[in-house]
Amino acid sequence: MDCRALTISSAFICLAAPVLAEEMNFNRIASFRVADNLPDSENTSAEIIDVTEDGMTLVYTDSPGGSIGFIDITEPANPSAAGVFMPEGEPTSVAVIGGHALAGVNTSESYTDPSGYLVEIDVASREEIGRCELPGQPDSVGIAPDGSFLAVAIENERDEDLGDGRVGQLPAGSVFMVDLDDDGLIECDTARVADVTGLADIAPEDPEPEFVSINGENEVVVTLQENNHIVVLSSDGEVIDHFSAGKVTLENVDTAEEGALVFQDTITVAREPDSITWIDDTHFAMANEGDMDGGSRGWTIFSQDGEVVYDAGMSFENAIIEVGHYPEGRSGNKGVEPESVTFDVFDGTPFVFVGAERASIVGVYDITDPANPELRQLLPSGIGPEGYVTIPERNLLISANETDDAGARAHVMIFEYQEAAAVYPHLTSAGMDELTGWGAISGQVMAADGTIYAVSDSFYGMQPTIFHIDVSEAPARIVDAIRVTREGAPAQLMDMEGIALDGEGGFWIASEGRSDRLVPHAIYHVGGDGAIEDYITLPEALSAVEVRYGFEGITRVDDMLYVAVQREWRDDPENHAKVLGYNLETEEWSVIHYPLTEPTTGWVGLSEIVAHGDHVYFVERDNQHDTRAVTKVITRVPMSAMEDMVDLGETPAVLDPELVVDLLPHLRSTGGYVLDKVEGLTIAEDGTMWVSTDNDGVDDHSGETMFFSIAAE
């Protein structure tokens, strides 16, 4: 087995694949928590982002925080907070020329009385140095490559709660343009407004410009998202060309949010593009997010005269499905929602970067042949990628991620184009005979042949699955999906959190209960074909004291099943969790206590149990992300300690676990924030540990799954 430092820390990832000649890839080297610039703010965001001319300072808009933030990336692997500028209003977009940042600020009092202004900020002093009033509510800001002028999309967005929420709500949007002097300062007296009414087939009286981009000939391309239309303007605001963004027919689409990944429907939808970028002076790429009626789940390259040069169709979403980032909870809407797109050339290769907002992933496309782009990589972003900036002189790609919630805070991610193997993804279903989605990986177990079986949890309640994983190459590959069934139908009312081999080709599966949803705590005996053959329920002594934080792992030693309970039940001392035993021969239960680490924030519990050699191993973790995470460890006790288990009703002995691995360095090793749910552990015959994280079905989660090994000492 080859153990290589594929990551930026001292943690090593072990791969079974042979070492091949390295090629250039983008790998994440750091992440910046936006809240570090506004530590007293409960809600922050990084939306649109740009960089100063020297490539050393990032500038981003933070709408909920009401700020324009700055990040020092002099050392890109160690970004640091560099302060904020607090405008009077809501910043919506920003663009940088030299050392000056120009931002659109929304000051609208209502949808019918939109207003805003363009503010210019000196990045060095963080002071306002110029301001122009705008004719409405600003969205995107773009600066011409030669620095001669800028354009602002004046969206004047509709009220989605008014009537049927459709366009046709005045005042109409427009495009604002203003010249910049040789020092990059705005000259407000040169302002002009381009009228884009009367062009679109949909609500021509009410265009809603969404995004602008300017090419080397000073032509401005504008998306009218809700109108499903594209307009090309001259620098003086005259319409050069315009055309519909069109519709796309998509096959094998998941359109139902039923807790199962089923790709079988055919739909025809409008593209409704959001962001757009020129890739040369006559072609542009756009992300087809959708808003009012459409969203084609992909991206498109158009020529300036309206010819479709390339359309991704379902290929982008399908690639996202294979790496476990598909958001099942958005199937009935617009799927992965490609929202952001940018272009640049790295080391002679032209790339388009496509961000999928709901999948929290960045597609890296080589567009050397614009008619046949090649998907080179899928990069893990934070939750809700909104904007990008490229710094090819420093081999850097930056993503700004807008979602900030009680879990992971909003982050800015930094990727480097480097001569190295691609670190992500760690796990994929690519290569299977049919398109197979996956996510919410929980417990796992290693088979005698070195492959791994892993279960998905209740997020996919209508499709409980045991995934068979080949870890002999990188990334590890799902080679089979065994659907768990009851009398031939998908087994329901299960929350599979642990799996053990039964020694006869089948499995023992631990299902975490939740009484308020009629989901029982139970152990299921499942055949190799996925059919439930038998089950074991809790005895009265346990069911009388259970709570929802139940079975989280299972392991088998001869005729004994050992089950880890996540947190204390009603009869347990504080910070003590049960480890239960069940004798398959005598059908008797037994118990011992595991002493949980006292939490710093939130709670601490058990996530996995594995018997290996002369020890029993546990995963103990808190429920915290990023810098708030403290406890993510693998511990163990001697197998002989399990002999101290007592009958139910007796006072349990307390285990004395020893620390084996602190997982925090490994969880930080790919440059992202620490993920909260370390859920899976299995150990190979030679002592190599395989660890996985649960991505919660990409529901309020970045979708990132870490699946890695730790070499035996």
Side-chain angles (χ1 to χ4, degrees):
M1 179 173 290
D2 167 47
C3 297
R4 295 184 269 161
L6 292 184
T7 60
I8 65 167
S9 81
S10 59
F12 279 68
I13 299 291
C14 296
L15 308 170
V19 179
L20 302 176
E22 306 282 37
E23 61 178 8
M24 297 297 290
N25 284 289
F26 289 91
N27 284 315
R28 186 175 54 198
I29 60 171
S31 58
F32 174 81
R33 197 173 75 143
V34 177
D36 290 346
N37 253 336
L38 283 175
D40 296 329
S41 179
E42 294 183 358
N43 192 4
T44 60
S45 179
E47 296 160 300
I48 306 304
I49 193 163
D50 207 343
V51 67
T52 52
E53 187 175 32
D54 63 5
M56 297 298 174
T57 303
L58 298 174
V59 186
Y60 63 88
T61 55
D62 175 2
S63 174
S67 71
I68 297 167
F70 304 89
I71 306 171
D72 182 347
I73 58 167
T74 303
E75 299 179 29
N78 187 30
S80 59
V84 296
F85 172 83
M86 305 295 291
E88 301 164 351
E90 174 200 9
T92 61
S93 184
V94 68
V96 177
I97 180 169
H100 299 159
L102 293 120
V105 181
N106 179 22
T107 58
S108 303
E109 294 186 0
S110 68
Y111 291 103
T112 57
D113 186 22
S115 62
Y117 64 92
L118 179 71
V119 62
E120 186 159 14
I121 305 153
D122 178 72
V123 174
S125 66
R126 314 289 192 262
E127 294 181 355
E128 179 177 331
I129 56 175
R131 179 186 295 214
C132 295
E133 294 303 313
L134 295 174
Q137 171 237 325
D139 198 329
S140 167
V141 176
I143 297 176
D146 66 4
S148 61
F149 77 105
L150 64 76
V152 182
I154 304 299
E155 183 178 14
N156 292 345
E157 64 184 350
R158 73 192 192 281
D159 181 354
E160 296 183 28
D161 295 324
L162 178 65
D164 58 7
R166 301 184 63 78
V167 285
Q169 301 178 25
L170 300 179
S174 59
V175 179
F176 173 89
M177 300 181 194
V178 65
D179 290 344
L180 303 172
D181 70 14
D182 292 342
D183 295 320
L185 299 174
I186 46 176
E187 299 179 314
C188 296
D189 57 358
T190 66
R192 57 268 189 200
V193 177
D195 180 3
V196 289
T197 61
L199 304 178
D201 295 327
I202 299 169
E205 77 285 1
D206 181 29
E208 288 196 11
E210 186 78 21
F211 209 92
V212 296
S213 179
I214 306 174
N215 67 9
E217 297 178 350
N218 287 339
E219 296 168 332
V220 182
V221 64
V222 187
T223 55
L224 312 182
Q225 185 172 29
E226 289 80 359
N227 311 89
N228 197 38
H229 211 74
I230 299 166
V231 181
V232 181
L233 302 168
S234 68
S235 59
D236 59 8
E238 296 298 317
V239 175
I240 297 173
D241 208 344
H242 70 93
F243 45 88
S244 169
K247 296 183 177 182
V248 184
T249 296
L250 306 172
E251 298 180 345
N252 300 319
V253 184
D254 187 348
T255 61
E257 298 168 14
E258 79 281 37
L261 299 173
V262 181
F263 309 103
Q264 63 183 18
D265 296 331
T266 298
I267 58 174
T268 298
V269 292
R271 290 190 173 95
E272 288 190 350
D274 186 323
S275 64
I276 195 164
T277 183
W278 291 95
I279 62 174
D280 58 32
D281 287 341
T282 57
H283 298 85
F284 41 78
M286 63 188 198
N288 304 322
E289 178 199 26
D291 190 310
M292 191 172 68
D293 296 319
S296 64
R297 305 183 180 220
W299 65 286
T300 307
I301 295 177
F302 268 98
S303 67
Q304 185 172 333
D305 61 5
E307 177 188 0
V308 174
V309 176
Y310 167 80
D311 189 90
M314 283 296 293
S315 63
F316 182 45
E317 183 163 284
N318 287 351
I320 291 171
I321 290 166
E322 291 176 338
V323 298
H325 277 251
Y326 181 75
E328 161 63 11
R330 300 293 299 176
S331 291
N333 292 283
K334 298 176 283 292
V336 300
E337 290 190 30
E339 180 177 15
S340 45
V341 62
T342 195
F343 166 82
D344 217 325
V345 178
F346 284 78
D347 196 26
T349 301
F351 288 106
V352 164
F353 304 93
V354 184
E357 179 185 15
R358 300 295 181 173
S360 297
I361 207 161
V362 184
V364 180
Y365 283 85
D366 178 343
I367 62 162
T368 300
D369 179 0
N372 295 285
E374 176 191 357
L375 179 59
R376 289 270 300 271
Q377 287 184 263
L378 290 169
L379 304 176
S381 193
I383 307 176
E386 178 82 8
Y388 299 94
V389 63
T390 53
I391 315 174
E393 299 82 7
R394 303 186 69 194
N395 279 341
L396 297 177
L397 164 71
I398 317 293
S399 74
N401 304 278
E402 66 175 340
T403 302
D404 187 303
D405 60 23
R409 302 299 302 268
H411 279 72
V412 170
M413 300 289 184
I414 302 176
F415 303 87
E416 184 178 57
Y417 192 51
Q418 54 188 220
E419 188 175 343
V423 171
Y424 201 77
H426 293 177
L427 180 63
T428 179
S429 66
M432 293 187 67
D433 291 339
E434 63 180 59
L435 182 64
T436 301
W438 60 274
I441 294 292
S442 188
Q444 57 192 41
V445 65
M446 180 160 281
D449 63 359
T451 59
I452 290 175
Y453 291 94
V455 292
S456 59
D457 68 21
S458 61
F459 187 84
Y460 305 103
M462 292 298 295
Q463 196 181 52
T465 303
I466 302 169
F467 294 103
H468 192 191
I469 302 170
D470 178 0
V471 297
S472 65
E473 57 182 305
R477 295 190 177 273
I478 295 172
V479 295
D480 195 11
I482 304 167
R483 308 303 185 189
V484 177
T485 60
R486 184 185 284 115
E487 297 181 354
Q492 298 181 44
L493 300 179
M494 294 182 71
D495 183 5
M496 301 190 299
E497 297 286 352
I499 183 171
L501 303 176
D502 70 356
E504 299 176 353
F507 311 94
W508 290 103
I509 291 177
S511 178
E512 183 177 27
R514 185 160 180 181
S515 300
D516 61 335
R517 297 181 181 176
L518 303 179
V519 178
H521 299 279
I523 300 171
Y524 292 90
H525 193 199
V526 177
D529 61 354
I532 295 176
E533 299 176 353
D534 200 359
Y535 61 94
I536 303 165
T537 58
L538 292 183
E540 175 60 28
L542 291 174
S543 61
V545 297
E546 61 87 18
V547 297
R548 59 171 288 194
Y549 300 102
F551 295 172
E552 279 287 328
I554 188 170
T555 192
R556 182 180 69 87
V557 180
D558 299 326
D559 290 329
M560 283 295 297
L561 298 177
Y562 296 106
V563 181
V565 176
Q566 186 176 67
R567 293 165 61 186
E568 59 260 37
W569 284 2
R570 286 193 289 269
D571 62 336
D572 295 321
E574 185 178 7
N575 296 327
H576 284 70
K578 288 180 171 69
V579 178
L580 296 171
Y582 183 81
N583 190 305
L584 293 169
E585 286 295 316
T586 66
E587 300 183 355
E588 294 176 337
W589 290 86
S590 53
V591 64
I592 199 167
H593 271 141
Y594 182 101
L596 298 169
T597 302
E598 185 171 350
T600 301
T601 304
W603 53 259
V604 172
L606 297 178
S607 283
E608 182 68 287
I609 182 171
V610 179
H612 176 75
D614 296 329
H615 292 85
V616 177
Y617 294 76
F618 298 88
V619 172
E620 183 183 358
R621 68 167 180 90
D622 58 25
N623 66 333
Q624 300 299 299
H625 297 78
D626 54 57
T627 58
R628 296 162 293 175
V630 175
T631 303
K632 315 281 187 191
V633 295
I634 297 173
T635 64
R636 72 180 184 182
V637 299
M639 184 67 70
S640 58
M642 307 305 284
E643 297 174 4
D644 294 334
M645 299 187 83
V646 298
D647 293 339
L648 300 181
E650 298 183 22
T651 301
V654 180
L655 294 168
D656 184 19
E658 65 171 319
L659 176 66
V660 179
V661 179
D662 180 359
L663 291 170
L664 286 175
H666 297 270
L667 296 172
R668 297 188 185 109
S669 67
T670 60
Y673 56 77
V674 173
L675 301 171
D676 62 329
K677 289 190 174 182
V678 183
E679 295 266 316
L681 171 68
T682 191
I683 304 176
E685 185 176 356
D686 67 358
T688 300
M689 296 180 177
W690 285 89
V691 181
S692 63
T693 62
D694 175 356
N695 74 357
D696 278 342
V698 204
D699 186 24
D700 291 329
H701 193 285
S702 68
E704 183 171 352
T705 295
M706 296 189 73
F707 187 92
F708 61 92
S709 64
I710 303 171
E713 295 182 357

